[in-house]
Amino acid sequence: MPVFLNATDPDFESAFTALLSAKREDSPDVDATVAGIIEDVRARGDAALLELTEKFDRLKLTAAALRLSAEDIRTAAASVPEAERDALRLAADRIRAYHERQLPEDAEWSDDTGATLGWRWTPVAAAGLYVPGGLASYPSSVLMNAIPARVAGVPRLAMVVPAPDGILNPLVLAAAELAGVDEIYRIGGAQAIAALAYGTETIAPVDKITGPGNAFVAAAKRRVFGKVGIDMIAGPSEILVIADADNDPDWIALDLLSQAEHDESAQSILITTDAAFGEAVAKAVETRLTTLSRSKIAGASWRDFGAVITVPDLDTAAQLSDRIAPEHLELCVADPDSLSAKITHAGAIFLGQWTPEAIGDYVGGPNHVLPTARSARFSSGLSVLDFMKRTTLARMTPAALRAIGPAAETLAATESLEAHGLSVTARLRKLND
Amino acid sequence: MPVFLNATDPDFESAFTALLSAKREDSPDVDATVAGIIEDVRARGDAALLELTEKFDRLKLTAAALRLSAEDIRTAAASVPEAERDALRLAADRIRAYHERQLPEDAEWSDDTGATLGWRWTPVAAAGLYVPGGLASYPSSVLMNAIPARVAGVPRLAMVVPAPDGILNPLVLAAAELAGVDEIYRIGGAQAIAALAYGTETIAPVDKITGPGNAFVAAAKRRVFGKVGIDMIAGPSEILVIADADNDPDWIALDLLSQAEHDESAQSILITTDAAFGEAVAKAVETRLTTLSRSKIAGASWRDFGAVITVPDLDTAAQLSDRIAPEHLELCVADPDSLSAKITHAGAIFLGQWTPEAIGDYVGGPNHVLPTARSARFSSGLSVLDFMKRTTLARMTPAALRAIGPAAETLAATESLEAHGLSVTARLRKLND
């Protein structure tokens, strides 16, 4: 059974705090193993990669076979039924259209001293995209990672995906082709992250690595961070639904289950202004669990981490929501816009009862890679900006230097950085000659 | 002596690669110590903080004295000479004006299905600013970290600065007052980072921590990352100057020395189209080193990591610059704009010979917190965006769901995520009733 809380109960605060701080994931400590794998790939390149792939994926390859041929990709993509290809195309078009609006603008202006200031955005030169193998090998993730990189203008996009026992998901390859991935390698785990970060004889290194993965992949991304950029380290998925009584309990139950079915560590929370509606939703969840194909996973998540919270009003709901800082937030209320305006911390907001979160996972347009574990307090979902960087620009004229140089000399002196000051002084002296 | 290289020499490539991969910093492994300190502060709060401050800073405090009073700050700030306060004010005004242009825009639009899409930017609720004590206690760093946070709209800004033997730099406090810091605590090291991340009885936790620090601070920031956001972990400073022969060798020498004087691990590189000019600059460096107050540090940096590279043309200079991906890049050439357009990877570019890098450290306007160690390939300097996060928004109408819902159902089925699909199906069924 999930927890049932009522915000007006005297012990609510302690129960809610306990819910917030519940540890949902025990990450196994694989850091030493991962460090060894990375060192091995750095030292021995392809040879290590091939050995590790045989060991972990039971797949014997040659260096030449690490990379999928254009023919391999075309054949796999062509095997995908037309209806699925159409759905992928619709998703890709909508994701592209949304992300194109994120392209940042360069700026350049002159200030009152005559100095020219500004900045310029440029894409990273090469991005690497990790795609998990097996059950979690999602074509939607390929689109959500590759399309922002392409929109950013990244000239080279390399993808790695493990092929355990030689098996690859044709839809993943179809999505990669559609999104414009340049290179695909059939490798996975920490060894694939090491190859992307440091390069091997066959795989050129990249500058930024994104994409989800298991504990080994997460630990490897943490380790190579600094050598390359990485996206976030995502935790288990979460949804918070705020719903009034004017909803179909079954719809809300399905929305809660759509996160719960991802992972036993996922968390689904309902906040409602109507306790009876909360009970009805919990009942609908139980009913759906009797037939759901992933009921074992979804049931465990709902039982261990699910919660139904009754609040006296929507203002209280907004306050609790900000303390949860959910990855996904559904606002199934009469006026979702005015409730949304009261929310500060959330990865993605889905407004109104016609916007189930699953729309955002696939075809809405916004990215589905979002901050988990309360990190929406300080971070954002994946975007075009993650594949770009900003160079600041400054150009002084003699007059500008005359105007602001003396202040720089003064501050350099206070920091005892003599050469800093002298680099200004020498120029000002020339101007005053 | 620095290395002298010529891009047309047959062994240039290997020498340049060696220069790029030279290890400039041996970070001591303080991770275990730092882990212990963080656990201690988490477990015992103020009591641990007070003990550790007495131990490391030789400063015995009470919980009530951790935070500087308004009176303490006013008195210290008032002791700063007027000329220095004016210089700080000029710097603050220019930094604020530059960063105000970085404020991102919210967006909302309707697409052809009638769906409303968009995003919204909000500031983090609380930011913590680390300021080192002792020699590296720079007022300019306070401005460069605090002003972007303030411009972002962060409602609470807490600063920590160690006071070894009770001593604080009054200019740091004056800068904090000017930048609008709300709270200042006289603590430092890993214990201060732990207090900001987890909170104690006296110090409320923050959501984002920025600012430079020693190896203990860097390790602590890495450890608390995830619980809170952090800025980059900065390495030793670097400058690359690209200069033609039409420059005063002494100016360029001073620009190189202004990074070298920061740290024995700093790196200063000159790329020039004229070998004789390169020699003249190296000679000017030696001359300046005979009188420079920090000549020991600057001399060691120049000797161990300095380089003068002669290239046949500016296109080659641009290519080498992108391989270096410098933190600071000065373009002292006749047409700096056209050379700048050929550069992709640099933290900050200073255009023309009237723009010494030191201007950027203090009063130019752009941020001086910039990516080091080649990370300009994938990351940017500190900005207003570092103190904000983006929430994506989506609102479907019944018509929009009818248009794109079926594609979501198809993709959910390919990923075997049944509840995802059903959350759409249930709604579409209602529409088709």
Side-chain angles (χ1 to χ4, degrees):
Chain A
M1 284 287 285
V3 238
F4 286 81
L5 305 177
N6 191 313
T8 57
D9 281 354
D11 61 348
F12 174 74
E13 183 54 34
S14 65
F16 184 72
T17 306
L19 182 71
L20 278 188
S21 54
K23 192 169 164 59
R24 280 154 52 207
E25 203 182 25
D26 267 322
S27 305
D29 187 3
V30 297
D31 209 44
T33 311
V34 163
I37 290 172
I38 292 174
E39 276 318 303
D40 196 17
V41 173
R42 283 186 74 172
R44 298 196 299 126
D46 283 346
L49 209 47
L50 294 171
E51 277 178 36
L52 291 161
T53 300
E54 182 169 4
K55 178 175 170 190
F56 292 119
D57 297 333
R58 301 159 304 280
L59 177 63
K60 204 170 161 62
L61 294 173
T62 59
L66 280 170
R67 179 170 172 181
L68 271 75
S69 70
E71 181 59 26
D72 290 339
I73 300 166
R74 216 176 306 123
T75 308
S79 77
V80 171
E82 196 54 28
E84 295 178 9
R85 291 162 61 99
D86 284 346
L88 276 180
R89 235 180 320 253
L90 182 143
D93 288 346
R94 292 186 57 89
I95 296 164
R96 192 176 301 111
Y98 184 92
H99 286 78
E100 278 171 353
R101 293 185 180 245
Q102 291 178 332
L103 274 168
E105 283 184 30
D106 295 346
E108 194 176 290
W109 67 92
S110 289
D111 67 18
D112 53 1
T113 68
T116 306
L117 299 171
W119 62 76
R120 194 170 70 197
W121 289 90
T122 46
V124 301
L129 163 55
Y130 190 91
V131 179
L135 259 189
S137 188
Y138 295 142
S140 57
S141 289
V142 175
L143 300 182
M144 292 290 181
N145 281 272
I147 290 173
R150 271 287 172 253
V151 170
V154 177
R156 174 177 165 246
L157 187 47
M159 180 173 125
V160 293
V161 53
D165 300 305
I167 295 167
L168 282 171
N169 180 350
L171 262 157
V172 159
L173 303 185
E177 193 186 42
L178 196 59
V181 171
D182 299 298
E183 306 161 19
I184 305 177
Y185 300 94
R186 51 189 124 213
I187 52 174
Q191 60 273 22
I193 299 295
L196 287 173
Y198 292 97
T200 70
E201 299 89 326
T202 302
I203 304 175
V206 304
D207 301 298
K208 176 99 186 189
I209 300 176
T210 72
N214 63 17
F216 289 87
V217 171
K221 281 169 68 181
R222 271 187 196 277
R223 283 216 156 242
V224 300
F225 174 58
K227 166 71 183 166
V228 299
I230 62 168
D231 61 344
M232 69 199 78
I233 307 281
S237 195
E238 313 148 8
I239 189 169
L240 169 62
V241 181
I242 301 179
D244 58 28
D246 196 19
N247 279 281
D248 185 330
D250 184 49
W251 295 9
I252 305 302
L254 286 167
D255 297 350
L256 295 169
L257 286 168
S258 71
Q259 293 311 298
E261 74 177 346
H262 268 297
D263 189 336
E264 296 188 2
S265 306
Q267 181 165 50
S268 304
I269 301 178
L270 170 65
I271 297 184
T272 179
T273 43
D274 187 299
F277 177 78
E279 301 275 354
V281 170
K283 210 171 145 193
V285 167
E286 297 305 332
T287 306
R288 285 290 184 176
L289 278 172
T290 60
T291 60
L292 202 65
S293 57
R294 294 167 75 108
S295 66
K296 191 152 168 277
I297 293 169
S301 157
W302 178 243
R303 184 182 63 238
D304 294 342
F305 304 112
V308 176
I309 304 174
T310 304
V311 290
D313 49 55
L314 291 178
D315 280 351
T316 307
Q319 286 155 22
L320 295 181
S321 178
D322 265 357
R323 290 178 64 190
I324 294 170
E327 180 190 14
H328 304 102
L329 174 62
E330 266 186 38
L331 304 181
C332 297
V333 296
D335 184 357
D337 286 316
S338 75
L339 180 55
S340 169
K342 292 174 184 158
I343 305 282
T344 312
H345 312 305
I349 300 182
F350 303 87
L351 296 138
Q353 62 183 359
W354 295 103
T355 319
E357 185 279 328
I359 285 292
D361 282 337
Y362 297 115
V363 295
N367 211 287
H368 78 192
V369 181
L370 292 165
T372 58
R374 305 189 62 226
S375 63
R377 291 177 296 119
F378 55 80
S379 62
S380 312
L382 197 69
S383 83
V384 166
L385 294 187
D386 290 294
F387 297 97
M388 304 186 82
K389 65 269 184 331
R390 190 187 48 243
T391 298
T392 61
L393 305 170
R395 181 173 190 165
M396 296 295 125
T397 59
L401 194 66
R402 205 180 266 131
I404 68 173
E409 289 177 290
T410 301
L411 293 173
T414 70
E415 297 185 355
S416 304
L417 293 171
E418 189 187 1
H420 283 65
L422 287 173
S423 72
V424 176
T425 307
R427 287 163 168 97
L428 289 180
R429 190 165 297 151
K430 168 91 171 181
L431 285 179
N432 296 331
D433 267 355
Chain B
M1 285 288 284
V3 240
F4 286 81
L5 305 177
N6 191 314
T8 57
D9 281 355
D11 61 347
F12 173 75
E13 183 55 35
S14 65
F16 184 72
T17 307
L19 183 70
L20 279 187
S21 54
K23 193 168 165 56
R24 279 154 51 208
E25 203 181 25
D26 266 323
S27 305
D29 187 4
V30 298
D31 209 44
T33 310
V34 163
I37 290 172
I38 293 174
E39 275 319 304
D40 195 18
V41 173
R42 281 186 74 171
R44 299 195 298 126
D46 283 346
L49 208 46
L50 294 171
E51 277 178 35
L52 290 160
T53 300
E54 183 169 3
K55 178 175 170 192
F56 292 119
D57 297 333
R58 299 160 306 280
L59 178 62
K60 203 170 162 65
L61 294 173
T62 60
L66 280 170
R67 179 170 171 182
L68 271 75
S69 69
E71 182 59 25
D72 290 339
I73 299 165
R74 216 175 309 123
T75 309
S79 77
V80 171
E82 196 54 30
E84 295 177 9
R85 290 162 63 100
D86 284 346
L88 276 179
R89 237 182 318 254
L90 182 145
D93 288 346
R94 292 185 57 88
I95 296 164
R96 191 177 301 111
Y98 183 94
H99 287 79
E100 278 171 352
R101 292 183 181 247
Q102 291 178 331
L103 274 168
E105 282 183 30
D106 295 347
E108 193 175 293
W109 66 94
S110 290
D111 68 16
D112 54 359
T113 68
T116 305
L117 300 171
W119 63 75
R120 194 170 69 196
W121 289 90
T122 46
V124 300
L129 163 54
Y130 190 91
V131 179
L135 258 190
S137 188
Y138 295 142
S140 58
S141 290
V142 175
L143 300 183
M144 292 290 181
N145 281 273
I147 291 173
R150 271 289 172 251
V151 170
V154 176
R156 175 179 164 245
L157 186 47
M159 181 172 125
V160 293
V161 52
D165 300 305
I167 295 168
L168 282 171
N169 180 351
L171 262 156
V172 159
L173 303 185
E177 193 186 41
L178 196 61
V181 170
D182 300 299
E183 305 160 19
I184 305 178
Y185 300 94
R186 52 189 125 212
I187 52 174
Q191 59 274 22
I193 300 295
L196 288 174
Y198 292 99
T200 69
E201 299 89 327
T202 303
I203 304 176
V206 303
D207 301 298
K208 176 100 186 188
I209 300 176
T210 71
N214 63 17
F216 290 87
V217 171
K221 282 168 70 180
R222 272 188 195 277
R223 283 217 155 241
V224 300
F225 174 59
K227 167 70 183 167
V228 298
I230 62 167
D231 61 345
M232 70 201 76
I233 307 282
S237 193
E238 313 148 6
I239 189 170
L240 170 61
V241 180
I242 301 179
D244 58 27
D246 196 19
N247 279 282
D248 185 330
D250 183 51
W251 295 10
I252 305 302
L254 286 166
D255 297 351
L256 296 169
L257 286 168
S258 72
Q259 293 312 299
E261 74 177 345
H262 267 297
D263 189 336
E264 295 189 2
S265 306
Q267 182 165 50
S268 304
I269 300 177
L270 169 66
I271 297 184
T272 179
T273 43
D274 186 301
F277 178 77
E279 301 276 353
V281 170
K283 212 173 140 189
V285 168
E286 297 305 332
T287 305
R288 285 288 184 178
L289 279 172
T290 60
T291 60
L292 204 65
S293 57
R294 296 168 74 110
S295 66
K296 193 154 168 275
I297 293 169
S301 156
W302 178 242
R303 185 181 63 237
D304 294 343
F305 304 113
V308 176
I309 304 174
T310 304
V311 291
D313 49 53
L314 291 177
D315 280 353
T316 307
Q319 286 156 23
L320 296 181
S321 177
D322 265 358
R323 290 178 64 190
I324 294 170
E327 181 189 15
H328 303 103
L329 174 60
E330 265 187 37
L331 305 181
C332 298
V333 297
D335 184 358
D337 287 316
S338 76
L339 180 55
S340 170
K342 292 174 185 159
I343 305 283
T344 311
H345 312 305
I349 301 182
F350 302 87
L351 297 137
Q353 61 182 1
W354 295 101
T355 320
E357 184 278 329
I359 284 293
D361 282 338
Y362 297 114
V363 293
N367 211 286
H368 79 192
V369 181
L370 293 165
T372 58
R374 304 188 63 225
S375 63
R377 291 176 297 121
F378 55 81
S379 62
S380 311
L382 196 69
S383 83
V384 166
L385 295 186
D386 290 293
F387 297 97
M388 303 187 81
K389 64 270 185 326
R390 190 187 47 244
T391 298
T392 62
L393 305 169
R395 179 172 193 165
M396 297 294 124
T397 59
L401 194 67
R402 203 180 266 132
I404 68 173
E409 289 176 291
T410 301
L411 292 174
T414 69
E415 296 186 355
S416 304
L417 293 172
E418 189 186 0
H420 283 66
L422 287 171
S423 72
V424 177
T425 307
R427 286 163 167 96
L428 289 180
R429 189 165 298 151
K430 168 94 172 180
L431 286 179
N432 297 331
D433 265 357

